[in-house]
Amino acid sequence: MTDMSYSPSRGQSPALKLVLRSILYILLGLFALFYLMPLFVMITTSLKSLDEIRTGDLVSLPREVTFDAWRTAWSGACTGIQCEGVKPFFLNSLLIAVPAVMISTLIGALNGYVVAQWRFKGSNIFFALMLFGCFIPFQVVLLPMARVLGLMGVAGTIPGLIFVHVIYGLGFTTLFFRNYYVSIPSELTKAAKVDGAGFFRIFWSIFLPLSLPIIVVAVIWQFTQIWNDFLFGVSFSQAGTQPVTVALNNIVNSTTGVKEYNVDMAAAIIAALPTLFVYVVAGKYFIRGLTAGSVKG
Amino acid sequence: MSPILEVKNLFKNYGGTEVLKDINVSIDEGDFLVLVGPSGCGKSTLLNCIAGLEPITRGDMFIDGQNMTNVSPKDRDIAMVFQSYALYPTMSVAKNITFGMKVRGVDQATQDAKLKQVAGQLQIEPLLHRKPGQLSGGQRQRVAMGRALVRDPKLFLFDEPLSNLDAKLRVEMRTEIKALHQNLGASMVYVTHDQIEAMTLATKIVVMKGGIIQQIGSPTEIYNRPANLFVADFMGSPAMNLIPATARKNGKGSKIEIARESGDPIFLIDTKNKDLPENVIIGVRPEDIADAALGRAGKTQEADCLIDIVEPAGADTFAVMQLGGKPVTARLHAETKAAAGTAQRLAFDLGKVSYFEPETGLRLN
């Protein structure tokens, strides 16, 4: 039945076509509504006062719009004993995510460049092992990673979390860049070698300038992963270094007495904004970059 | 004077497979060496070995007398043009051409002067600010040549540079490369699978098959005296006719008998070659079988042959018949009266005939 929209419309009457089209758009509209519903509830709830939430309907629009909940969520909500809102944790997340994304993307690009263009003995096995890293569940590495971080003396610190995320992201970024670079003819590297360029020169001058689409993919992927990470954040942090996801959990779970749904919602939206922002800004490159390499221009 | 390029006993293995076996070639300054052979014969690998892009397993390589066997590509004083052109996609044409100089730290004034000179030579001045993506195939080809020319190297290497162009442009660029070679007097090594390119460009041809050199020689030598059945079949278009025949001693020469399914065998007298084995394969170029009626210079022997197919090609008309169980092509005059299904009196010229041993495929005369 869903095939209708794809079947060639040759031989169908205009009326039938119109009906089929309408059904298609109604279905699409319903799905869109279904997916937007939670966001709608979150936004409206965050703009209501606690009284209104208690007395009103879940899906109704706020009678009186108030940003108090947002203010509290940002700088006043309690996460356990401390009541500074999500602000410091938001900053922690930025301090973790930005360097981790940059480092893992850059190293992934270099790895991919080597595996795709500078084959060495065992480079395929090396790549297969990197790929295998993508499929190791987070939980498996928790204990060994805690030990490693302890040995390195960075347990519970932001550099420690950056390290964890770089290591965990390398499998993915290497995969992205390798698949992108493998479609670039090896003659390009050869030509540059004859021209006298070395390993890094070729990477900086020729491969990196070509890589914008795949850099965008790697950045979006890594940023989303690292920003949204909870398990590593809760396991390898301490009081001052927790990321925003952990703080959000603490706000929601550790309040005593009245549950401030509006503050919870506002905090959740704040925590989700950066990834949303990255998608909106770079989303169009994301699709392009994902399919690049599979289709040769 | 030492040869500009000398390859000595070169072997190349990929894992367990030998792709180049005991290659020995040398060329003098100003030579145009063409490596030709079917795909997978190792010709591109050999070129990559000369460039230093592939390490060699055994053997030595000298460029202008210096041992370059273990020297990196950038220090070999070579320039290379690739099949896919391999232009740097994010750089403008000008930057593509000057990239090598920039890497080697040549000063800006020299870079500009050389760029200007090469751009003029190849007539690509209007393209200098474009990106490779905005160029046509022929233009890209020119830029790739420009990148090689600015280096002013001891040796130019070309890896099938014309095979991505359409037929007309290929012929044009072929002529341009030949002109370039004549004007520069540069030494070049050129890889192609196209035997016509090989014939037209080369001063020296290396025919390869299965990683082994089959024959080295000037285009005329290769064409007139192919060393074995493979070379005979590979070089020339249409290919040399290779007909199984029986040879008998006849005075100072031989009497050659070619069997025919329909009718009597053809007897040809060769006055120059004696002591041939009984079973031979006789190689006759299509142009050595002509219309008897329209006459031609040289000593010929005539025979009536039943024509199966007539293929007019403008300047010539090709006629195909069955001799010795093989289709045989004759290059006839455009005004021939030959028609399919009728007998035609043809003149055979054995002046440049080749004989091959059927088992080994080696040349006998």
Side-chain angles (χ1 to χ4, degrees), chain B residues 315-343:
Chain B
D316 303 300
T317 294
F318 297 106
V320 184
M321 67 210 105
Q322 287 282 330
L323 293 180
K326 293 272 154 108
V328 169
T329 308
R331 187 192 288 259
L332 304 182
H333 206 273
E335 280 126 49
T336 180
K337 299 250 169 14
T342 63

Coordinates of all heavy atoms in Angstrom, one line a residue, chain B residues 315-343:
Chain B
A315 N 39.9 4.9 -47.3 CA 41.1 4.9 -48.1 C 41.4 3.5 -48.6 O 42.0 3.3 -49.7 CB 42.3 5.4 -47.2
D316 N 41.1 2.5 -47.8 CA 41.3 1.1 -48.2 C 40.0 0.3 -48.1 O 39.0 0.8 -47.5 CB 42.3 0.4 -47.3 CG 43.6 1.1 -47.2 OD1 44.2 1.3 -48.3 OD2 44.0 1.6 -46.1
T317 N 40.0 -0.9 -48.8 CA 38.9 -1.8 -48.6 C 39.5 -3.1 -48.1 O 40.5 -3.6 -48.6 CB 38.2 -2.0 -49.9 OG1 37.6 -0.8 -50.2 CG2 37.1 -3.1 -49.7
F318 N 39.0 -3.6 -47.0 CA 39.5 -4.9 -46.4 C 38.7 -6.0 -46.9 O 37.4 -6.0 -46.9 CB 39.6 -4.8 -44.9 CG 40.5 -3.8 -44.4 CD1 40.0 -2.6 -43.8 CD2 41.8 -3.9 -44.5 CE1 40.8 -1.6 -43.4 CE2 42.7 -3.0 -44.0 CZ 42.2 -1.8 -43.5
A319 N 39.3 -7.1 -47.4 CA 38.6 -8.3 -47.8 C 39.0 -9.4 -46.9 O 40.2 -9.6 -46.7 CB 38.9 -8.6 -49.3
V320 N 38.1 -10.2 -46.5 CA 38.4 -11.3 -45.6 C 38.0 -12.6 -46.3 O 37.0 -12.7 -46.9 CB 37.5 -11.2 -44.3 CG1 37.9 -12.3 -43.3 CG2 37.8 -9.8 -43.6
M321 N 39.0 -13.6 -46.2 CA 38.8 -14.9 -46.8 C 39.3 -15.9 -45.9 O 39.9 -15.6 -44.8 CB 39.5 -14.9 -48.2 CG 41.0 -14.9 -48.0 SD 41.8 -14.1 -49.4 CE 42.3 -12.5 -48.7
Q322 N 39.0 -17.2 -46.2 CA 39.5 -18.3 -45.4 C 40.7 -19.0 -46.0 O 40.6 -19.4 -47.2 CB 38.4 -19.4 -45.2 CG 37.3 -18.9 -44.3 CD 37.6 -19.1 -42.8 OE1 38.5 -19.9 -42.4 NE2 37.1 -18.2 -42.0
L323 N 41.9 -18.9 -45.4 CA 43.1 -19.6 -45.9 C 43.6 -20.4 -44.7 O 43.8 -19.9 -43.6 CB 44.1 -18.7 -46.4 CG 43.8 -17.8 -47.6 CD1 45.0 -16.9 -48.0 CD2 43.5 -18.7 -48.8
G324 N 43.9 -21.7 -45.0 CA 44.6 -22.6 -43.9 C 43.7 -22.6 -42.7 O 44.2 -22.8 -41.6
G325 N 42.4 -22.5 -42.9 CA 41.5 -22.6 -41.8 C 41.4 -21.3 -40.9 O 40.8 -21.3 -39.8
K326 N 42.0 -20.3 -41.3 CA 42.0 -19.0 -40.6 C 41.4 -17.9 -41.4 O 41.7 -17.9 -42.6 CB 43.5 -18.6 -40.2 CG 44.1 -19.6 -39.2 CD 43.8 -19.1 -37.8 CE 43.9 -20.3 -36.9 NZ 44.9 -20.5 -36.0
P327 N 40.7 -17.0 -40.8 CA 40.3 -15.8 -41.6 C 41.5 -14.9 -41.9 O 42.4 -14.7 -41.1 CB 39.3 -15.0 -40.7 CG 39.7 -15.6 -39.3 CD 40.2 -16.9 -39.4
V328 N 41.6 -14.5 -43.2 CA 42.8 -13.8 -43.6 C 42.3 -12.5 -44.2 O 41.4 -12.4 -45.0 CB 43.6 -14.6 -44.7 CG1 44.6 -13.7 -45.3 CG2 44.2 -15.8 -44.0
T329 N 42.9 -11.4 -43.8 CA 42.5 -10.1 -44.3 C 43.5 -9.5 -45.3 O 44.7 -9.6 -45.1 CB 42.5 -9.1 -43.1 OG1 41.7 -9.7 -42.1 CG2 41.8 -7.7 -43.5
A330 N 42.9 -9.0 -46.4 CA 43.8 -8.4 -47.4 C 43.4 -6.9 -47.5 O 42.2 -6.5 -47.3 CB 43.5 -9.0 -48.8
R331 N 44.4 -6.0 -47.6 CA 44.2 -4.6 -47.7 C 44.2 -4.3 -49.2 O 45.2 -4.2 -49.8 CB 45.3 -3.8 -47.0 CG 45.0 -2.3 -46.9 CD 46.2 -1.6 -46.4 NE 46.5 -1.8 -45.0 CZ 46.2 -1.0 -44.0 NH1 45.7 0.2 -44.3 NH2 46.5 -1.2 -42.8
L332 N 43.0 -4.0 -49.7 CA 42.8 -3.8 -51.1 C 42.6 -2.3 -51.4 O 42.3 -1.5 -50.5 CB 41.6 -4.6 -51.7 CG 41.7 -6.1 -51.4 CD1 40.4 -6.7 -52.0 CD2 42.9 -6.7 -51.9
H333 N 42.8 -2.0 -52.7 CA 42.6 -0.6 -53.1 C 41.1 -0.3 -52.9 O 40.3 -1.1 -53.0 CB 43.0 -0.5 -54.6 CG 43.4 0.8 -55.0 ND1 42.5 1.8 -55.4 CD2 44.6 1.4 -55.0 CE1 43.1 2.9 -55.6 NE2 44.4 2.7 -55.4
A334 N 40.9 1.0 -52.7 CA 39.5 1.4 -52.4 C 38.6 1.1 -53.7 O 37.4 0.9 -53.5 CB 39.4 2.9 -52.1
E335 N 39.3 1.1 -54.8 CA 38.4 0.9 -56.1 C 38.4 -0.6 -56.5 O 38.1 -0.8 -57.6 CB 39.0 1.7 -57.2 CG 38.6 3.2 -57.2 CD 39.8 4.1 -57.2 OE1 40.7 3.9 -58.1 OE2 39.9 5.0 -56.4
T336 N 38.6 -1.4 -55.5 CA 38.7 -2.9 -55.9 C 37.3 -3.3 -56.4 O 36.2 -2.8 -56.0 CB 39.1 -3.7 -54.7 OG1 39.1 -5.1 -55.1 CG2 38.1 -3.5 -53.5
K337 N 37.3 -4.3 -57.2 CA 36.1 -4.9 -57.7 C 35.6 -6.1 -56.8 O 34.6 -6.7 -57.1 CB 36.3 -5.4 -59.2 CG 36.7 -4.3 -60.1 CD 35.5 -4.0 -61.1 CE 35.7 -2.7 -61.9 NZ 37.0 -2.1 -62.0
A338 N 36.4 -6.4 -55.8 CA 36.1 -7.5 -55.0 C 34.7 -7.4 -54.4 O 34.3 -6.4 -53.9 CB 37.2 -7.6 -53.9
A339 N 34.0 -8.6 -54.4 CA 32.7 -8.6 -53.8 C 32.5 -9.9 -53.0 O 33.2 -10.9 -53.3 CB 31.6 -8.5 -54.9
A340 N 31.8 -9.8 -51.9 CA 31.6 -11.0 -51.1 C 31.0 -12.1 -51.9 O 30.1 -11.9 -52.7 CB 30.7 -10.6 -49.9
G341 N 31.5 -13.3 -51.7 CA 31.0 -14.5 -52.3 C 31.5 -14.8 -53.7 O 31.2 -15.8 -54.3
T342 N 32.4 -13.9 -54.2 CA 33.0 -14.1 -55.5 C 34.5 -14.3 -55.4 O 35.1 -13.9 -54.4 CB 32.8 -12.9 -56.5 OG1 33.4 -11.8 -55.9 CG2 31.3 -12.6 -56.6
A343 N 35.1 -14.9 -56.4 CA 36.5 -15.1 -56.4 C 37.2 -13.9 -56.9 O 36.7 -13.2 -57.8 CB 36.9 -16.3 -57.2

